[in-house]
Amino acid sequence: MDLLFLGTSSGTPTKARNVTALAVLEDTGKGWYLVDCGEATQHQLLYTPLSLHGLRAIFITHVHGDHCYGLPGVLASAGMAGRTEPLEIVAPLGIEEWVRTTLRISQTVLPYELMFHAVETLREWRNRQLRVDATALSHRVPSYGYRFTEARPDPRLDVEKLDREGIPRGPLWGQLAHGFDVQHQGRTLHSDDYLLATRAPRCIVVGGDNDRPELLADACRDAQVLVHEATFTHAVTNDERSLFGHSTAASVAAFAQASDLPNLVLTHFSARYSARPARGLSIENIRAEAAAVYRGRLFLAEDFARFRLGKDGVLLRVETHPTKPR
Amino acid sequence: MDLLFLGTSSGTPTKARNVTALAVLEDTGKGWYLVDCGEATQHQLLYTPLSLHGLRAIFITHVHGDHCYGLPGVLASAGMAGRTEPLEIVAPLGIEEWVRTTLRISQTVLPYELMFHAVETLREWRNRQLRVDATALSHRVPSYGYRFTEARPDPRLDVEKLDREGIPRGPLWGQLAHGFDVQHQGRTLHSDDYLLATRAPRCIVVGGDNDRPELLADACRDAQVLVHEATFTHAVTNDERSLFGHSTAASVAAFAQASDLPNLVLTHFSARYSARPARGLSIENIRAEAAAVYRGRLFLAEDFARFRLGKDGVLLRVETHPTKPR
């Protein structure tokens, strides 16, 4: 499972960072999932190997523009690229109305179906690769975190069960082992019922804008990675109101440390924290503040940074070429 | 009067060209006007000297997404940058509903007022620098061209009239000469009534998507510059339907030649015409096809290309540094 950051700035784009979007990639290398879709996400995709044909679903954390204004462009360009497969979008109420209004007024007809799921009433979204559930967070508007869990971590056939049920060895077993449901003596055998996980599933939690990281405690219990906003440093915030519903590097790091999270990726930085120090601030202030309290593997996201979560639960940064020129 | 191209691709962005947007700049160097606002126009602005505080008005040619999906981002970022001055938007019906729906659903409150004018019923938009009127074009949806005309080309005081009306020489004359209305003996003297143009006004016509350039004949009569889409070359289009309501380089060039237009800027190119030839096509095909019939000054727009229309009616390309890295 890979993470490929497409935008890591809060509020407005800068020359170095676009507004929020994050791709979660399947191990297969083909399918991927988009979490948030700030303006110009489709432009960022031009500098990645990701294709809009491989996009399996979109998850929106909240309705603020820097997290969703890129949706219509992504949807329209997927259509112009010839996508015909339906596309599922999990999002807060309001996003469906906005997208459908946008398409109607701009007279954009998509050659594929949009299927919306309101995150407010979502129990679980799943396909053959992943299960995704949502956690309500605390922000100026309803905001959600999404947990991506591997659906079948290196499955093996439940041979005992197959023997017990008298299902004969041979092609049937092979199909079940590869995840296909099969017909046998007039009934359907579901692959899922005959596969056993051989290890704990990998699990990545991606938060939306949020000023109470501890709301993700349950979601993070068996997770190896938390991706969370750290818009500000505690050092420069005077009071809670000046946070505008956001977290500081210190508060996220403290939560991750208390939760024994092995890997933490901070993102969604205020433009005042840039690579080159200005007015006494730089992105290194974010890093230092988090590192002071968090002892796990700490990463600060950058646009086009790609990370790989191994089966051992260790997150590593992966080199990517070429990236967008700066 | 300058033109600064912010996007010159049709339909979808490429690495080299963003979707449509064009800045028209006042001679003053401060105020500017935006014609169309494709997605990521605010990102392009980061690489220009233009500030959202200096934006006087926005003109949208038609409702297709590649000409307007960047509007909410520009408006929101202008707000975050502290703009308080009202902003006028001239646009086809539908754009106001879409922008207001977008701001409502994304819970974006602007610290300045939006003032919409429906282009369908616009007689003329004007301020102290410019007069703008619109021409209905022919496309798959209602589309308009905008003509920008200098309001006061190097005005001089109408001394004869002032003397005739007994308005005393001195500070009053100075204020009128600088464009200020003044009070005199209980009545208001309007600067406009005492200024005479000393030369013909500069005039630039910017077309929207359009498959009948000749519809701009009246608008172009006294214009020095036409900016028009040339999405395709005639050579690769099989029939009218394959144009999707767009023009070819040949048809625009023929119109400009028949109209004796001194300067023609082509833009809004299909992605199949790139800088490096692919499948036997490149942007040079556009140039060659237009140059074969047009004898005036011909330019092909590029992102961040800047042009200056002199008082002599000659359009020149102006070097700009730094541009965005490619």
Side-chain angles (χ1 to χ4, degrees), chain A residues 11-13 15 18 39-40 42-43 46 63-64 69 72-73 77 80 94 97-98 102 104-108 141 325-326, chain B residues 11-13 15 18 39-40 42-43 46 63-64 69 72-73 77 94 97-98 102 104-108 141 325-326:
Chain A
T12 52
K15 286 184 182 177
N18 195 28
E39 181 179 357
Q42 67 162 325
H43 299 64
L46 296 175
V63 297
H64 280 159
Y69 280 173
S77 288
M80 282 187 269
E97 178 195 347
W98 176 62
T102 301
R104 171 177 60 78
I105 291 179
S106 63
Q107 301 199 24
T108 305
V141 297
R326 293 267 166 76
Chain B
T12 52
K15 286 184 183 176
N18 195 29
E39 182 180 357
Q42 67 162 324
H43 298 65
L46 296 175
V63 298
H64 280 159
Y69 281 175
S77 287
E97 178 195 347
W98 175 62
T102 301
R104 171 178 59 78
I105 291 179
S106 63
Q107 301 199 24
T108 305
V141 297
R326 292 266 166 77

Side-chain angles (χ1 to χ4, degrees), chain A residues 6-7 18 40-48 303-304 324:
Chain A
L6 301 169
N18 195 28
T41 294
Q42 67 162 325
H43 299 64
Q44 298 290 84
L45 287 171
L46 296 175
Y47 298 91
T48 75
D303 285 23
F304 305 110
K324 187 173 171 182

Side-chain angles (χ1 to χ4, degrees), chain B residues 120-163:
Chain B
E120 288 84 352
T121 52
L122 181 80
R123 247 188 89 240
E124 184 179 81
W125 182 94
R126 67 185 301 164
N127 65 5
R128 296 167 58 85
Q129 278 73 38
L130 288 172
R131 291 182 287 121
V132 184
D133 58 9
T135 300
L137 304 175
S138 166
H139 190 49
R140 308 199 304 279
V141 297
S143 180
Y144 292 84
Y146 291 102
R147 177 170 61 172
F148 293 80
T149 307
E150 267 185 302
R152 303 160 186 260
D154 294 337
R156 68 166 176 82
L157 270 181
D158 187 345
V159 173
E160 296 74 18
K161 185 175 180 182
L162 288 162
D163 279 340

Side-chain angles (χ1 to χ4, degrees), chain B residues 268-295:
Chain B
H268 193 270
F269 308 115
S270 162
R272 69 178 78 170
Y273 303 96
S274 57
R276 273 180 285 183
R279 297 179 212 164
L281 287 181
S282 86
I283 195 72
E284 291 308 316
N285 294 76
I286 299 268
R287 190 189 305 278
E289 191 174 286
V293 287
Y294 178 65
R295 301 288 164 225

Side-chain angles (χ1 to χ4, degrees), chain A residues 157 167-177 180 182-184 189:
Chain A
L157 271 180
I167 297 159
R169 280 164 203 264
L172 280 184
W173 283 32
Q175 288 178 285
L176 289 170
F180 295 102
V182 297
Q183 296 295 322
H184 177 59
L189 308 181

Side-chain angles (χ1 to χ4, degrees), chain B residues 31-55:
Chain B
W32 61 286
Y33 307 82
L34 183 60
V35 185
D36 282 336
C37 187
E39 182 180 357
T41 295
Q42 67 162 324
H43 298 65
Q44 299 289 83
L45 287 172
L46 296 175
Y47 298 91
T48 75
L50 300 175
S51 153
L52 290 173
H53 290 280
L55 178 57

